[in-house]
């Protein structure tokens, strides 16, 4: 257990509405990540953070923004959700510089 | 850019050995990883190998790395029904990790 909590775990939202997913860690790790998982694509990196207020884009960052105002929290925001953003979202942390541990996932459906 | 490829599906009989294969492209990767995902759950880190190693064994799991061919494999000895899951290969280390699309392992009783 890497001490990662994601919320909400499941959400259904309408197209065009904003959505925020929260990732909370209990162990003050510096690196945190947001991935999305889709059939046929594996896991793709959306954004990552290397410290408070330090974030960078991943390979599929369009339509997403992130914020990290505290070490323990990393927020992923969909400013205006689209059906293509229906996915499973995983938060992850880097431990010891060589291993990535994942949260349990957030299932998002955009209708 | 980085790319990690895996076959999509593998079916084995209970008690047999399973071998899941993976190829990657980034020769600068520091670590190679294997993750397991059960339905409705997150990814569980099974094992990882440092890029200067050829083999790592951990109970029923054996990881083989052929750095020259950029080929990674995961062997599961005495495969059990509880091993049924999707297995992800990944490369990288520290700041960035790239994942394959996953291999679904089906274990037939």
């Amino acid at each position: 257990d890497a001490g990662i909590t994601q919320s909400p775990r499941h959400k259904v939202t309408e197209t065009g509405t904003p959505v925020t997913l929260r990732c909370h860690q209990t162990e003050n790790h510096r690196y945190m990540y947001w991935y999305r998982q889709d059939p046929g694509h594996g896991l793709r990196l959306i954004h990552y953070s290397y410290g408070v207020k330090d974030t960078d884009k991943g390979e599929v960052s369009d339509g997403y923004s992130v914020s990290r105002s505290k070490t323990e929290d990393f927020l992923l925001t969909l400013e205006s959700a689209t059906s293509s953003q229906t996915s499973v979202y995983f938060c992850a942390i880097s431990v010891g510089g060589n291993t990535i541990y994942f949260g349990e996932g957030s299932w998002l459906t955009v209708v | 850019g980085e790319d990690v490829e895996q076959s999509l599906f593998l079916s084995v009989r209970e008690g047999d050995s399973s071998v899941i294969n993976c190829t990657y492209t980034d020769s600068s990767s520091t670590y190679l990883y294997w993750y397991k995902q059960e339905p409705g759950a997150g990814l569980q880190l099974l094992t990882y190998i440092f890029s200067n190693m050829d083999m790592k064994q951990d109970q029923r799991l054996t990881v083989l790395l052929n750095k020259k061919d950029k080929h990674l494999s995961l062997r599961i000895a005495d495969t059990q029904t509880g091993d049924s899951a999707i297995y992800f290969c990944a490369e990288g280390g520290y700041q960035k990790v790239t994942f394959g699309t996953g291999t679904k392992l089906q274990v037939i009783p």
Side-chain angles (χ1 to χ4, degrees):
Chain A
D1 182 4
I4 305 170
T5 304
Q6 292 185 229
S7 60
R9 294 290 316 280
H10 296 87
K11 185 173 180 67
V12 179
T13 193
E14 293 186 348
T15 298
T17 60
V19 177
T20 295
L21 306 180
R22 178 179 181 247
C23 178
H24 178 79
Q25 60 148 327
T26 59
E27 299 179 4
N28 293 320
H29 295 291
R30 183 180 171 198
Y31 279 80
M32 298 183 74
Y33 308 81
W34 277 108
Y35 287 87
R36 61 177 287 174
Q37 183 180 21
D38 304 287
H41 291 280
L43 277 86
R44 293 179 291 175
L45 182 64
I46 305 171
H47 282 278
Y48 66 97
S49 170
Y50 45 96
V52 173
K53 297 185 180 175
D54 291 324
T55 65
D56 206 349
K57 296 179 180 179
E59 62 179 306
V60 289
S61 59
D62 288 348
Y64 302 95
S65 62
V66 290
S67 65
R68 193 164 178 203
S69 58
K70 298 184 291 184
T71 300
E72 59 265 36
D73 289 326
F74 191 31
L75 304 181
L76 176 70
T77 297
L78 291 66
E79 301 290 347
S80 177
T82 67
S83 58
S84 65
Q85 293 175 312
T86 292
S87 186
V88 185
Y89 292 86
F90 288 99
C91 175
I93 60 174
S94 176
V95 177
N98 59 9
T99 49
I100 305 289
Y101 291 95
F102 286 85
E104 289 299 304
S106 295
W107 273 253
L108 177 66
T109 302
V110 183
V111 297
Chain B
E2 303 90 356
D3 195 16
V4 180
E5 295 188 353
Q6 304 176 236
S7 55
L8 291 178
F9 188 77
L10 176 66
S11 180
V12 299
R13 294 206 173 274
E14 188 175 16
D16 289 349
S17 292
S18 308
V19 179
I20 303 172
N21 294 300
C22 168
T23 58
Y24 62 98
T25 57
D26 188 354
S27 58
S28 67
S29 294
T30 306
Y31 296 95
L32 290 303
Y33 307 87
W34 284 105
Y35 285 84
K36 176 184 180 182
Q37 185 182 34
E38 297 182 2
L43 277 73
Q44 172 194 354
L45 178 64
L46 279 179
T47 187
Y48 65 94
I49 187 169
F50 192 53
S51 59
N52 68 352
M53 296 170 62
D54 298 324
M55 185 183 83
K56 181 178 181 181
Q57 188 155 2
D58 183 1
Q59 299 182 337
R60 292 191 298 121
L61 305 179
T62 302
V63 178
L64 295 177
L65 174 60
N66 181 329
K67 196 170 183 181
K68 173 177 172 290
D69 294 338
K70 299 189 183 67
H71 183 267
L72 184 73
S73 67
L74 174 69
R75 178 178 181 268
I76 306 173
D78 187 25
T79 309
Q80 302 298 306
T81 54
D83 295 323
S84 293
I86 301 175
Y87 290 81
F88 290 90
C89 169
E91 63 166 349
Y94 205 54
Q95 188 169 329
K96 186 180 177 186
V97 176
T98 302
F99 289 82
T101 54
T103 299
K104 185 173 183 178
L105 175 64
Q106 178 189 49
V107 182
I108 303 168

